[in-house]
Amino acid sequence: MLYLIGLGLGDATDITVKGLQAVKSCSRVYLEAYTSILTVGKEALEEYYGKQLILADRDLVEQGADEILKDADVTDVAFLVVGDPFGATTHSDLVLRAVHAGIPYRVIHNASIMNAVGCCGLQSYCASLLSSVFLLNVMNIPGFNRDHVVLITDFRGKKIYEPPRFMTVSQAADQLIQIVQRRRREEEEGELGVTEDTVCVGLARLGADDQIIRTGTLRQLVSCDLGGPLHSLVVTARLHPLEVDMLRVNAEPDALQHLRVIDSSTFTS
């Protein structure tokens, strides 16, 4: 059996009971190590799971999948993914390879940024979800002006030449402002609906004990230091009054003066 197991968002203890039982039954356990990170290191996971973990970088997963699947038809192999196995990055290719090789598979889900983002007070079913590539062409996505947009800020690093780099909320806000200003110079502002005063929500290390949620305008979030990775940024659209009340809990001074609020009497859940 090939197990694809979500680890959740925080630390070693966020794995589900079902997931932990599966890990303990496996002869080999791979830790996917290129789409996200936990707040603890590999050693802490090994200690809690009672298993040695094999780091699986992008090259191994995308080009050496046969190594992961080796003997999985006669023994149990686990593939661990931070968040949910099919959250920020789908691992469909690995599943298809297993199916084509006649290897049964099982997915054990867990929390991911896709659902945890609701803790900031925005109603997630009113959001468009986007995993950004350092925010290239981000404002061209469908529904940017209509729905809240969750930007899952990227981290990158070449295997040999440099360590991973993590985009911060501050950097993401700065890049968005640069896009706004460039399009304003090109007289495209009418298409954006986004300005330096658009209310956004910065999130850092969701699920960890030291998670941070900060509401502010794009201009304010540029100078906002939310600490270590991982960060996400939500660009709000029209807001329900209940969402406004929730945003006030973590708001910067004067951040909520430029809100677009819908009429609650016309709101349908």
Side-chain angles (χ1 to χ4, degrees):
M1 177 77 70
L2 170 67
Y3 288 95
L4 291 90
I5 303 173
L7 300 183
L9 291 169
D11 56 29
T13 62
D14 278 355
I15 192 171
T16 65
V17 173
K18 183 185 294 185
L20 184 58
Q21 290 174 341
V23 167
K24 290 182 177 296
S25 74
C26 290
S27 60
R28 296 196 315 279
V29 182
Y30 293 89
L31 174 62
E32 192 260 66
Y34 65 90
T35 61
S36 191
I37 60 168
L38 285 178
T39 57
V40 295
K42 170 175 171 282
E43 293 75 16
L45 300 181
E46 290 177 328
E47 180 178 357
Y48 188 77
Y49 302 157
K51 283 284 185 177
Q52 181 179 355
L53 304 183
I54 305 168
L55 288 180
D57 60 15
R58 185 183 295 270
D59 287 345
L60 176 60
V61 177
E62 295 183 352
Q63 301 176 28
D66 290 343
E67 180 179 337
I68 297 175
L69 297 176
K70 182 180 179 180
D71 300 328
D73 55 337
V74 295
T75 188
D76 290 335
V77 176
F79 184 74
L80 310 183
V81 182
V82 175
D84 185 84
F86 295 104
T89 297
T90 61
H91 293 93
S92 303
D93 180 67
L94 187 61
V95 169
L96 290 174
R97 288 174 181 269
V99 171
H100 292 157
I103 298 170
Y105 74 93
R106 182 172 299 167
V107 180
I108 301 177
H109 294 284
N110 208 324
S112 77
I113 186 63
M114 301 296 193
N115 50 42
V117 70
C119 71
C120 72
L122 298 176
Q123 295 158 353
S124 57
Y125 53 81
C126 297
S128 298
L129 298 172
L130 171 72
S131 180
S132 70
V133 183
F134 272 65
L135 306 184
L136 294 178
N137 299 318
V138 66
M139 293 185 184
N140 293 326
I141 68 171
F144 193 91
N145 298 325
R146 183 184 66 250
D147 303 327
H148 308 317
V149 177
V150 183
L151 304 176
I152 305 170
T153 55
D154 246 342
F155 70 97
R156 295 178 175 181
K158 297 178 182 178
K159 182 177 179 181
I160 298 174
Y161 304 108
E162 62 183 50
R165 295 179 291 116
F166 302 91
M167 176 176 275
T168 66
V169 163
S170 173
Q171 292 169 330
D174 182 64
Q175 287 197 21
L176 285 179
I177 286 179
Q178 291 182 41
I179 296 172
V180 167
Q181 293 174 342
R182 174 178 57 78
R183 291 197 169 186
R184 183 179 295 132
R185 290 193 298 270
E186 298 171 359
E187 298 182 350
E188 298 179 19
E189 184 177 5
E191 301 177 7
L192 295 180
V194 176
T195 72
E196 294 88 341
D197 292 321
T198 295
V199 174
C200 299
V201 184
L203 308 107
R205 300 174 302 283
L206 281 193
D209 292 338
D210 63 345
Q211 75 172 28
I212 295 177
I213 303 172
R214 193 69 50 80
T215 300
T217 64
L218 270 180
R219 195 193 318 271
Q220 289 173 322
L221 291 182
V222 167
S223 58
C224 194
D225 182 3
L226 301 187
L230 292 168
H231 291 196
S232 296
L233 179 69
V234 185
V235 181
T236 68
R238 292 190 306 160
L239 294 156
H240 185 274
L242 182 60
E243 292 179 304
V244 175
D245 289 341
M246 286 293 292
L247 290 179
R248 293 186 193 279
V249 175
N250 301 292
E252 292 287 309
D254 303 322
L256 305 185
Q257 293 182 350
H258 306 279
L259 294 176
R260 291 177 287 172
V261 183
I262 65 175
D263 182 356
S264 61
S265 65
T266 64
F267 181 79
T268 56
S269 61

